[in-house]
Amino acid sequence: ELKDNTIVIVFGASGDLAKKKTYPALFGLFKNGLLPKDVHIVGYARTKMDEAEYHKRTTSYLKNPDNDPEVSAKIEEFKKLSTYISGGYEDAPSFQNLNRHLESIEKNYQRKEYNRVFYLALPPSVFVPVSKHVRENCYAQSGVNRIIIEKPFGSDLDSCRDLLSNVKQSWTEDETFRIDHYLGKEMVKNLLVLRFANVALGNNWDKNSISNVQITFKEPFGTEGRGGYFDEFGIIRDVLQNHLLQVLSILTMERPVSFASEDIRNEKVKVLRAIPPIERKDTVLGQYVGANGKPGYLDDDSVPKDSVCPTFAATVLWIHNERWEGVPFVLKAGKALNEAKVEVRVQFKDVTQGIFKDISRNELVIRIQPSEAVYLKMNTKSPGLNFRAVPTEMDLTYKRRFSDLKVPEAYESLILDAFKGDHSNFVRDDELDVAWKIFTPILHWIDGKDGSRPRPSPYPYGSRGPKELDQFIASYGYRRATEDYSWPTTNT
Ligand code: BG6
């Protein structure tokens, strides 16, 4: 564990990710006294700016809604331990210059041992040169070095292998922390506890009880401003291949021998290896169009006018093992939809018919965000002098159940894990390899590598997605509740 004498170097310090996620997470940890003692933060980017401008940018997303003087004081303290240096990403002298800056901070340390954590909040085009130059010019000689990188890890199987092997020439697997920030989310972590600490759930967790599973990601806004990046990747690379597949692997893996990182990751890889590549027929693609005064995807200036890039996708994955054979896992994600919501919905099979007709199925819903919750849709006798089953729910809504609830930000939890050297919630190299194997054929088809590119179905901004979606989900066995059941909105 890195307890003291640590410098965190944030590459891409002037960018969006650093401003919105990295610095706020570092501040969150700092505020709660969770950063190593005497920590320093060094921002690095190409942009030339003075320290005042740097501090203005890096603190612009720090939350202090009530202007709490204690938090303001902490922000001032936070600024003091943070400096900025500009330089290129591809030339050795820039990195030598950075190294001198790091040494000038370290010479004030009492102990000789010091650690450096390199956080690459950078576009993928410079991952490789930066990781190489850092290793050659900025590597701490007497302490621990760690490098944190973030998706996109390539754009298909081959490019991912290329990227990984290039980074591996400079960094060991032990030193490398690949972020998928969904693994830092409270509810995603909770999956391990829900599954493996509850006999009542664990014993029903297979093809005998479960009909189908849906993992859904919905965002109510479009690509606004990020169209240039997005158009190169599309929603499958942006969300499904990483975030949703991570959720799926934890949801479906076998019980790990222990919670040690390699035990968990071995099980995740094992289940992913049982999933064949996605088939075209198991896929629906969509692209949002302008509606209700909101612009369509193609109205974004940074998007080519004839783009067929999907902003919505639903795909079905099958797991060929004894536990899951025949159970469809529907992964869906979309931008510019009707609401913000990420959830897992496990739909159980029909109850034995005969004494009941047409009653709702049990459904276990794990709401990842917003407003964390777990609820189980259950049939109960409608109270009174009748004998009728009605769908209701057993409800664990976090903010009601846990007073003083403070769910940490995903990035806070992950950065802390990286300081501790705990890899459990980071993506291992072979995990990425198998994830890309599942998605590469369908992506190549969408990219037009096998001929003409498929046209996504249009859906209006703010809608539930392409119109064929309901029929698509139903064809994999998903059944809507018989009554107009909806989870009470007071819960959200
Ligand atoms: C990112 C994607 O990885 O995850 C974005 O690139 C997406 O397009 C974001 O908006 C969603 O993260 P969160 O934490 O807001 O659910």
Side-chain angles (χ1 to χ4, degrees):
E1 185 165 355
L2 311 182
K3 290 224 172 69
D4 44 19
N5 294 7
T6 297
I7 305 185
V8 185
I9 302 99
V10 182
F11 291 96
S14 61
D16 230 35
L17 175 66
K19 184 171 72 181
K20 291 188 182 148
K21 300 288 187 188
T22 320
Y23 282 94
L26 286 168
F27 177 67
L29 294 172
F30 172 72
K31 197 175 65 181
N32 294 314
L34 295 169
L35 286 186
K37 196 157 87 11
D38 298 331
V39 71
H40 279 264
I41 297 167
V42 174
Y44 183 99
R46 278 191 287 235
T47 316
K48 292 214 162 32
M49 57 183 160
D50 58 20
E51 298 254 315
E53 174 64 21
Y54 165 68
H55 289 313
K56 199 169 127 215
R57 286 202 198 187
T58 55
T59 54
S60 60
Y61 273 73
L62 307 188
K63 286 194 200 110
N64 187 11
D66 310 326
N67 275 325
D68 179 341
E70 245 177 70
V71 178
S72 306
K74 279 280 174 200
I75 292 178
E76 289 311 309
E77 259 182 74
F78 183 68
K79 284 183 187 168
K80 287 204 186 91
L81 47 93
S82 180
T83 49
Y84 178 73
I85 183 155
S86 78
Y89 289 136
E90 316 218 19
D91 63 298
S94 286
F95 289 87
Q96 287 152 6
N97 188 37
L98 168 63
N99 193 48
R100 283 191 290 276
H101 181 71
L102 301 179
E103 283 171 351
S104 73
I105 297 170
E106 284 156 350
K107 74 174 192 301
N108 302 320
Y109 287 154
Q110 302 291 322
R111 281 180 35 222
K112 275 227 308 299
E113 210 161 83
Y114 49 86
N115 313 304
R116 294 179 179 179
V117 176
F118 301 97
Y119 193 115
L120 274 54
L122 289 172
S125 53
V126 291
F127 277 173
V128 173
V130 171
S131 60
K132 175 170 166 286
H133 284 302
V134 168
R135 178 67 183 83
E136 285 169 4
N137 300 294
C138 306
Y139 197 77
Q141 302 303 329
S142 64
V144 173
N145 289 274
R146 289 190 177 140
I147 186 166
I148 303 178
I149 52 178
E150 214 164 314
K151 78 160 215 288
F153 303 115
S155 57
D156 63 4
L157 183 58
D158 286 346
S159 54
C160 172
R161 284 185 175 167
D162 253 16
L163 176 77
L164 257 50
S165 68
N166 272 310
V167 175
K168 267 175 198 288
Q169 286 176 9
S170 315
W171 297 88
T172 65
E173 187 67 18
D174 217 37
E175 291 171 329
T176 310
F177 292 77
R178 296 182 201 89
I179 286 197
D180 181 312
H181 78 284
Y182 267 58
L183 293 176
K185 292 195 187 264
E186 184 67 22
M187 271 308 193
V188 176
K189 294 192 188 174
N190 188 20
L191 289 175
L192 287 178
V193 178
L194 286 176
R195 285 196 56 199
F196 299 115
N198 293 300
V199 175
L201 261 190
N203 287 351
N204 291 315
W205 209 249
D206 61 21
K207 63 183 181 195
N208 298 320
S209 302
I210 293 174
S211 158
N212 63 83
V213 176
Q214 305 198 42
I215 305 177
T216 308
F217 168 103
K218 296 168 97 178
E219 265 181 358
F221 45 84
T223 55
E224 284 112 65
R226 277 175 86 227
Y229 153 83
F230 190 87
D231 203 69
E232 224 184 287
F233 291 91
I235 193 75
I236 295 185
R237 291 186 178 95
D238 195 43
V239 175
L240 274 86
Q241 183 268 352
N242 32 67
H243 303 328
L244 300 193
L245 193 67
Q246 282 294 344
V247 172
L248 173 102
S249 65
I250 302 173
L251 197 72
T252 56
M253 70 184 201
E254 295 302 313
R255 186 185 198 88
V257 176
S258 80
F259 280 153
S261 56
E262 297 323 311
D263 286 338
I264 295 176
R265 299 195 297 179
N266 286 343
E267 294 305 334
K268 285 168 70 186
V269 170
K270 237 192 264 168
V271 73
L272 290 178
R273 286 180 58 203
I275 303 178
I278 296 162
E279 305 226 12
R280 294 177 193 186
K281 66 171 175 48
D282 285 338
T283 307
V284 169
L285 303 174
Q287 188 184 77
Y288 65 92
V289 295
N292 304 323
K294 295 286 196 177
Y297 179 65
L298 298 181
D299 299 328
D300 188 327
D301 286 340
S302 48
V303 168
K305 288 289 158 249
D306 54 352
S307 171
V308 287
C309 173
T311 60
F312 176 97
T315 62
V316 182
L317 276 64
W318 304 91
I319 303 174
H320 293 308
N321 65 17
E322 275 196 308
R323 183 186 290 275
W324 295 117
E325 188 69 42
V327 178
F329 289 84
V330 185
L331 270 46
K332 359 182 194 88
K335 300 257 170 200
L337 295 176
N338 59 331
E339 59 184 341
K341 189 161 83 178
V342 180
E343 67 173 27
V344 175
R345 191 169 287 262
V346 177
Q347 185 167 71
F348 291 89
K349 292 194 164 174
D350 282 329
V351 76
T352 305
Q353 298 292 304
I355 54 170
F356 296 112
K357 261 229 269 337
D358 289 339
I359 64 168
S360 295
R361 288 175 163 181
N362 289 139
E363 246 175 57
L364 177 72
V365 182
I366 299 155
R367 161 86 64 118
I368 296 173
Q369 65 191 39
S371 182
E372 292 81 357
V374 183
Y375 59 96
L376 177 64
K377 281 169 50 176
M378 300 261 295
N379 291 304
T380 196
K381 184 180 126 16
S382 143
L385 296 174
N386 57 25
F387 193 78
R388 206 163 60 89
V390 288
T392 129
E393 69 285 314
M394 298 217 286
D395 176 4
L396 164 57
T397 293
Y398 267 39
K399 69 172 181 237
R400 241 189 291 125
R401 180 62 181 80
F402 300 110
S403 51
D404 288 338
L405 176 71
K406 161 86 181 76
V407 175
E409 288 293 326
Y411 279 90
E412 291 178 12
S413 138
L414 292 177
I415 291 175
L416 196 59
D417 282 352
F419 284 138
K420 289 186 187 143
D422 180 351
H423 279 88
S424 320
N425 292 312
F426 292 86
V427 187
R428 205 166 68 184
D429 50 358
D430 53 346
E431 228 176 316
L432 274 178
D433 204 81
V434 48
W436 279 117
K437 277 187 186 147
I438 297 170
F439 282 93
T440 293
I442 199 92
L443 286 166
H444 281 178
W445 169 60
I446 294 168
D447 292 345
K449 292 217 162 87
D450 307 338
S452 65
R453 304 183 65 175
R455 297 221 140 254
S457 313
Y459 62 93
Y461 196 120
S463 67
R464 293 180 53 240
K467 57 182 177 330
E468 55 268 53
L469 184 64
D470 284 342
Q471 168 57 32
F472 177 78
I473 300 166
S475 72
Y476 294 95
Y478 179 72
R479 274 195 28 206
R480 291 199 167 278
T482 45
E483 313 215 348
D484 249 356
Y485 172 87
S486 66
W487 193 44
T489 46
T490 45
N491 289 345
T492 56

